[in-house]
Every structure is written in structure tokens, then in C-alpha cells.
């Protein structure tokens, strides 16, 4: 099963991807997580990506496409994969289709979460992520039962710098301008599913299970 999760920052892709990964046993490929890891490891890729991330801009297509192709060539992707935060431009979507053609696989479903901007602006500054297992919580709407620690693994929960201030507005603007057109691309292929992401985690996940079918 090969799936793409789409939606603006804060729409719930990270939260739902944890549930999908558990239910369907497919690797979760988040370009945002890959870039953040490279930044924290201080690699050349990380230093380059940081310049764009700090501003709320997209990392250039050629860099992003390169890391995704490399990741998809790993053996664990042969049984399927879930892309989260990629593709974010039409050029990335076309490059992905080319790469998948070479691998002889295709995408079954593109699931798009819609959430009103005013809700995203409330969600993002309150979002915290586990330093270790990357579980996502929200101090306002979905707090960890262990306070400032992750309720799953006990590690520290951290806020993202790009979830604050002007960067949030910039990221939402970039999403509308550059990523929204990608939805049309998949709509035309007949594989786009639009979900209302402004509901409980359980309700949204139930819809996802209806789309993806049984894992058994
Ligand atoms: P995310 O965690 O998906 O919100 O991504 C955090 C940041 O990483 C974004 O604001 C971009 O700067 C960068 N990024 C993640 N995915 C992509 C992508 N597909 N194309 C370009 N930049 C990306």
C-alpha cells in the first residue's frame, strides 16, 4: 500500500501517520522529519535546509526530490510506504511519478486533510513533539498525560521554532500558493480523498480506514 498524506501544517498529518503506521505496518516518510534530523546532526544537507526552514520557505525541489528517491530505494519501502509532507510542489509530484514508474509501483490514495486557517493558527503554537519517538501532542487540544514528557516513551517534548510567530503565517501562505495546486494534480488522477481534519483524531482515523481498507 502506497499512500500520500496532504494538508496544511497543523492539519493532523503527523498524528494520523502514527496510527496508519501502526495499523498498516508501512514506513512513515516525512520530509520535514528528515530535514529536522539533518539539521540536528549538523550535516551539509541540514545546514542548507535550515536556511529555508527558518524562513518558512520550501527547501528547493532538487534537494527534496533527491532525499525522497534515496529513501524510497530502501528495502523497507518495498512492502509499501506513506509519504507525509511530500510532494509539496507540482515539480515534486511529477518527479515522484517518474521515480515510481521506475520502481514499477503506483500511489493508491492521496488523503488530504482540510482544516480552517483560524484553527491551524490556534493549533500550531501549542504543538509539541517527542524528541525521541516523534509522537505529536498539543498542549491545548491533545496534551500528553505525562505533562512535559512524552506519554509513550517518557522523553522530553519540544516545540518547533517554525510553529511560532511570523513563520507560521509564511508556511500557510506557501502551502496555499505552492502545495494546493498539487491537489488538482491528484484529483485529475482520481486518487484524491478529501477529509474534514477539524474533528477528533478517532473520527478522522475511522475515515482513513474506510479509504485504505482492512489491514488484515
Ligand atoms: P513539515 O514538518 O512537513 O511541516 O516541514 C517542515 C519544513 O521542512 C517545511 O516548512 C519546509 O521548509 C521543509 N520541507 C518539508 N517537506 C518539504 C518538501 N516536500 N519540499 C520542500 N520543503 C520541505
Amino acid at each position: 500500500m502506497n499512500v500520500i498524506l496532504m494538508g496544511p501544517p497543523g492539519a493532523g498529518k503527523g498524528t494520523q501517520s502514527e496510527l496508519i503506521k501502526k495499523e498498516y505496518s508501512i514506513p512513515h516518510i516525512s520530509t520535514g522529519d528528515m530535514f529536522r534530523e539533518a539539521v540536528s546532526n549538523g550535516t551539509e544537507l541540514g545546514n542548507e535546509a535550515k536556511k529555508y526552514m527558518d524562513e518558512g520557505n520550501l527547501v528547493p525541489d532538487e534537494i527534496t526530490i533527491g532525499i525522497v528517491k534515496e529513501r524510497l530505494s530502501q528495502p523497507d519501502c518495498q512492502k509499501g510506504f506513506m509519504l507525509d509532507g511530500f510532494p509539496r510542489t507540482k515539480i515534486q509530484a511529477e518527479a515522484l511519478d517518474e521515480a515510481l514508474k521506475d520502481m514499477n509501483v503506483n500511489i493508491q490514495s492521496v488523503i488530504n486533510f482540510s482544516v480552517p486557517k483560524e484553527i491551524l493558527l490556534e493549533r500550531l503554537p501549542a504543538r509539541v513533539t517527542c524528541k525521541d519517538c516523534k509522537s505529536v501532542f498539543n498542549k491545548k487540544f491533545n496534551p500528553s498525560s505525562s505533562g512535559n514528557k512524552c506519554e509513550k516513551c517518557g522523553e522530553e517534548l519540544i516545540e518547533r521554532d517554525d510553529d511560532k510567530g511570523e513563520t507560521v503565517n509564511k508556511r500557510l501562505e506557501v502551502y496555499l500558493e505552492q502545495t494546493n495546486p498539487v491537489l488538482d494534480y491528484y484529483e485529475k488522477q482520481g486518487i484524491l480523498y478529501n477529509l474534514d481534519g477539524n474533528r477528533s483524531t478517532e473520527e478522522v482515523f475511522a475515515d482513513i480506514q474506510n479509504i485504505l481498507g482492512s489491514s488484515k
Side-chain angles (χ1 to χ4, degrees):
M1 171 187 297
N2 306 319
V3 189
I4 298 177
L5 302 186
M6 292 196 58
K13 302 186 295 296
T15 303
Q16 294 297 333
S17 65
E18 285 174 43
L19 300 173
I20 296 171
K21 185 177 167 186
K22 217 162 138 196
E23 179 74 17
Y24 296 94
S25 309
I26 49 175
H28 170 215
I29 303 174
S30 153
T31 39
D33 283 351
M34 287 158 92
F35 285 134
R36 276 184 291 280
E37 172 133 19
V39 170
S40 76
N41 290 335
T43 64
E44 206 180 309
L45 168 71
N47 294 338
E48 183 61 17
K50 190 172 185 319
K51 293 190 271 183
Y52 301 94
M53 296 167 81
D54 285 350
E55 302 281 309
N57 283 315
L58 295 184
V59 178
D61 284 333
E62 63 273 20
I63 299 178
T64 312
I65 291 165
I67 64 161
V68 171
K69 276 189 176 172
E70 150 69 21
R71 180 66 188 88
L72 289 175
S73 71
Q74 303 295 312
D76 64 335
C77 291
Q78 277 174 10
K79 60 179 177 183
F81 54 82
M82 165 180 33
L83 287 167
D84 160 5
F86 182 93
R88 259 173 151 107
T89 64
K90 197 150 170 261
I91 291 175
Q92 292 180 12
E94 286 163 353
L96 176 65
D97 273 351
E98 279 298 306
L100 295 179
K101 217 193 279 169
D102 292 343
M103 291 166 68
N104 223 357
V105 296
N106 52 21
I107 299 291
Q108 278 88 56
S109 319
V110 176
I111 303 178
N112 175 48
F113 306 106
S114 304
V115 176
K117 186 176 173 191
E118 58 274 19
I119 305 283
L120 298 172
L121 289 173
E122 274 190 73
R123 280 186 185 180
L124 285 164
R127 173 160 78 172
V128 284
T129 310
C130 174
K131 220 173 156 182
D132 190 38
C133 75
K134 310 284 182 254
S135 293
V136 186
F137 300 93
N138 192 293
K139 288 193 282 190
K140 226 171 170 177
F141 303 107
N142 175 30
S144 163
S145 57
S146 310
N148 291 332
K149 302 275 183 207
C150 175
E151 70 182 26
K152 294 184 187 149
C153 72
E155 257 295 345
E156 194 190 338
L157 296 174
I158 46 175
E159 294 177 4
R160 280 171 51 172
D161 288 342
D162 63 353
D163 278 345
K164 292 178 213 151
E166 251 320 290
T167 317
V168 170
N169 285 316
K170 178 71 188 172
R171 285 166 67 214
L172 293 175
E173 204 180 285
V174 165
Y175 180 84
L176 280 181
E177 271 173 24
Q178 303 192 51
T179 310
N180 242 359
V182 181
L183 297 176
D184 292 341
Y185 181 84
Y186 290 119
E187 172 95 76
K188 287 192 185 115
Q189 293 187 13
I191 53 173
L192 180 70
Y193 296 86
N194 287 304
L195 295 187
D196 173 5
N198 190 19
R199 294 175 295 160
S200 73
T201 303
E202 294 75 21
E203 283 173 299
V204 176
F205 186 58
D207 278 1
I208 293 177
Q209 284 180 295
N210 280 334
I211 295 165
L212 299 182
S214 160
S215 59
K216 304 290 175 279

